[in-house]
Amino acid sequence: MYFAALLARTEDGWEASDTELDDVETLSDLADLAREASPDEDTVLVLIEQEDAWFGVVRVDGEEDPRIYVSDAAAAARSSYGEILLTDELLGRDPDDGDDLDALDLDGTEDGDDDDTDDAGPVAGSAESVPHGPVGDARILDDLGVTEKELRALASDAVTEIAEALGASETLETVR
């Protein structure tokens, strides 16, 4: 079960909106969705939570590149919404690794190789190459009152706790 919401900071405080991520395929799509929530280029937070498995925060400030924090990359990698957040840059991977179809060894027998692949390491882009634990900018909410230490300590019901720290819990509850 997923919950996703947008929190847009305005002159009057935080405004929340429930959001459907079904049409979102990339981080760029998600950032565009966030920017649409704030025509004045204010700060917008996209909060995504999958039960107690993981949560993610995407911060969009105007036209700047989005900043991302994911509480457990390995858990997020197993979900379609988590995969949107886990960019190659966030995971410290070279985006060209493993993407060249000409370099793929599809059946393990090209160039005299046998079918024994037990010694093969994780494939770039596979779940095995995603670290367990948090990734991204843990200081993403520092200036909004949630320190790196507090963010890393969140586990269950993280989205609600973040909203409380921002003074937006009542606003968030209206869209839950």
Side-chain angles (χ1 to χ4, degrees):
M1 180 82 172
Y2 292 94
F3 174 71
L6 296 173
L7 283 178
R9 186 168 63 175
T10 67
E11 292 177 1
D12 301 324
W14 291 97
E15 291 181 8
S17 58
D18 187 6
T19 188
E20 286 293 322
L21 299 178
D22 294 339
D23 295 331
V24 175
E25 296 180 8
T26 66
L27 180 59
S28 180
D29 293 344
L30 188 60
D32 290 344
L33 183 69
R35 287 183 184 103
E36 290 172 10
S38 177
D40 295 330
E41 296 189 6
D42 292 318
T43 297
V44 178
L45 301 176
V46 181
L47 304 173
I48 302 171
E49 183 175 57
Q50 182 189 5
E51 297 173 342
D52 291 337
W54 67 275
F55 71 91
V57 179
V58 178
R59 179 177 178 159
V60 178
D61 293 300
E63 291 300 316
E64 292 181 27
D65 288 340
R67 294 166 53 196
I68 306 164
Y69 175 80
V70 176
S71 66
D72 186 337
R78 293 186 295 271
S79 81
S80 58
Y81 298 137
E83 287 179 342
I84 293 169
L85 305 181
L86 298 175
T87 63
D88 288 330
E89 181 180 343
L90 187 69
L91 296 173
R93 295 190 301 220
D94 181 358
D96 295 327
D97 284 352
D99 288 340
D100 185 2
L101 291 177
D102 295 332
L104 290 178
D105 182 5
L106 298 176
D107 67 2
T109 59
E110 283 86 17
D111 298 325
D113 291 342
D114 59 21
D115 288 330
D116 184 15
T117 57
D118 292 339
D119 295 332
V123 176
S126 69
E128 293 85 27
S129 67
V130 176
H132 290 274
V135 295
D137 183 357
R139 300 186 72 197
I140 193 170
L141 301 174
D142 273 2
D143 64 322
L144 300 175
V146 181
T147 66
E148 176 179 354
K149 182 178 179 181
E150 292 167 331
L151 188 63
R152 288 183 186 270
L154 295 176
S156 64
D157 213 18
V159 168
T160 300
E161 290 188 41
I162 290 169
E164 282 179 19
L166 299 175
S169 59
E170 289 180 22
T171 304
L172 182 68
E173 285 305 311
T174 63
V175 298
R176 255 202 203 259

